[in-house]
Amino acid sequence: MPVSNQHSTIIDSRDTTLPITACSTCGNARCLIKKNLGSTIVNTFTQHRKEIRCKKGQQFIMEGAAVTGLFFLLKGTVKVIRTGLHGKEQIVRFAKEGEVIGHRGFGTEESYPIGAIALEDSLLCYFSKDLLQEVLRTEPSFTYDLMLFYANELSKSEVKVKSLSQMTVRERVIDTLLYVNRKFGQEHGFMAQVLSRREYADYAGTTEEQVIRVLSALKKEQLIVTKGKRIGIVNLQLLKNEISEHNFYLDS
DNA sequence: CCATTAAGAGTGT
DNA sequence: ACACTCTTAATGG
């Protein structure tokens, strides 16, 4: 939940491990705001930006809470969730630096349709709804960038519907592995973002046990390696081949 | 530094 | 899904 002023944080302020940045000095090239800093109104807008620090595991958007604004992820990673019927958490997507969070609550909705939880200590930029609407009305290039983002998100969510409804468990786990790999990449032979098996399951729409079983099968088949929580992809092409019939447009 | 504990990974039913 | 074991990370003296 957003805080009321720039200096307070929703977490313990003793934590000084994360830097405080202004848009002008922010190194996040991916950010839509940063990209449009050339515009005067966007520039003015950034002065009303609020900063929110989030500890690992902390939820900063509550499902169903009133929409007050929009978040940009400055640093860290976040999972966007939606609570299913039996209290099961469905991970809608993962977000990394520069991505927008909470955008779906924006237009006509009065409450957030999703929850968002930090996967690691994260730094968020927060912009109030009113302010943002003003900018969107007056700055076409910014609006255009945001529209591209919306279109992209929609397309991804359509792909996900298909994945959940038509793929087998094994295929969904593989799909999830490829997604995480696309999003976060590999580092030292393992996924750069460590996720629990439970989180893989919540994204793939299965149970933790199923994920563990598929993973150990893939391990036996030498397609992946594991070390504790860490998962490394050994044979990317073979994994892609398995779901190629579902994702014929998949990037090389 | 080692011992205890808690969390999460695996596995069999 | 549940019960259980094993491994690893966190904690505290």
Side-chain angles (χ1 to χ4, degrees):
Chain A
M1 222 122 307
V3 291
S4 53
N5 70 73
Q6 196 150 2
H7 301 293
S8 73
T9 60
I10 47 179
I11 58 149
D12 198 322
S13 56
R14 284 173 301 182
D15 185 344
T16 54
T17 53
L18 293 170
I20 296 172
T21 342
C23 286
S24 52
T25 61
C26 170
N28 193 351
R30 221 183 269 281
C31 177
L32 290 184
I33 304 233
K34 174 80 180 174
K35 202 177 157 191
N36 287 281
L37 267 185
S39 146
T40 323
I41 185 154
V42 173
N43 222 317
T44 317
F45 165 66
T46 61
Q47 328 221 315
H48 299 279
R49 159 182 157 278
K50 285 167 186 166
E51 216 167 66
I52 291 176
R53 287 172 185 224
C54 223
K55 281 260 192 231
K56 179 178 180 177
Q58 183 168 16
Q59 182 156 3
F60 59 92
I61 297 179
M62 288 301 206
E63 209 173 340
V67 173
T68 54
L70 196 64
F71 295 88
F72 286 80
L73 186 50
L74 220 186
K75 193 152 180 35
T77 49
V78 163
K79 63 176 170 182
V80 178
I81 59 134
R82 197 166 189 158
T83 316
L85 242 43
H86 310 287
K88 297 289 165 221
E89 118 176 346
Q90 168 68 232
I91 294 180
V92 177
R93 69 184 174 106
F94 293 102
K96 63 178 174 186
E97 283 186 12
E99 290 191 35
V100 188
I101 302 157
H103 53 284
R104 268 214 46 229
F106 202 69
T108 54
E109 315 250 347
E110 69 285 343
S111 59
Y112 290 109
I114 49 86
I117 300 169
L119 290 172
E120 53 189 57
D121 289 2
S122 297
L123 193 54
L124 294 145
C125 297
Y126 167 78
F127 296 96
S128 85
K129 192 175 173 176
D130 298 340
L131 219 52
L132 202 54
Q133 277 168 344
E134 177 66 22
V135 177
L136 286 171
R137 271 193 290 266
T138 46
E139 193 50 73
S141 68
F142 179 68
T143 309
Y144 179 72
D145 283 341
L146 193 65
M147 192 210 72
L148 286 185
F149 171 77
Y150 272 103
N152 216 285
E153 286 298 305
L154 183 57
S155 135
K156 282 178 190 164
S157 107
E158 283 167 2
V159 170
K160 190 158 167 51
V161 168
K162 180 181 179 178
S163 143
L164 287 175
S165 59
Q166 296 183 356
M167 289 173 141
T168 66
V169 170
R170 179 181 164 105
E171 285 166 340
R172 290 197 308 246
V173 172
I174 290 175
D175 187 58
T176 306
L177 284 171
L178 294 177
Y179 167 66
V180 173
N181 180 54
R182 248 179 295 144
K183 176 136 269 176
F184 300 110
Q186 306 262 123
E187 216 168 55
H188 312 121
F190 293 99
M191 296 288 192
Q193 176 65 46
V194 179
L195 299 168
S196 69
R197 313 279 134 135
R198 165 68 111 160
E199 283 163 334
Y200 277 97
D202 289 342
Y203 185 84
T206 351
T207 63
E208 189 180 352
E209 291 96 324
Q210 297 264 53
V211 167
I212 288 170
R213 288 190 163 98
V214 172
L215 287 181
S216 38
L218 294 175
K219 199 175 170 181
K220 275 199 191 99
E221 294 165 42
Q222 316 258 301
L223 298 177
I224 62 165
V225 290
T226 64
K227 187 180 173 189
K229 294 182 76 173
R230 297 202 160 255
I231 301 169
I233 291 181
V234 173
N235 198 328
L236 187 60
Q237 197 50 54
L238 278 182
L239 288 174
K240 281 181 178 176
N241 288 348
E242 281 208 42
I243 59 164
S244 58
E245 50 201 293
H246 298 282
N247 283 10
F248 45 86
Y249 44 83
L250 205 73
D251 51 300
S252 66

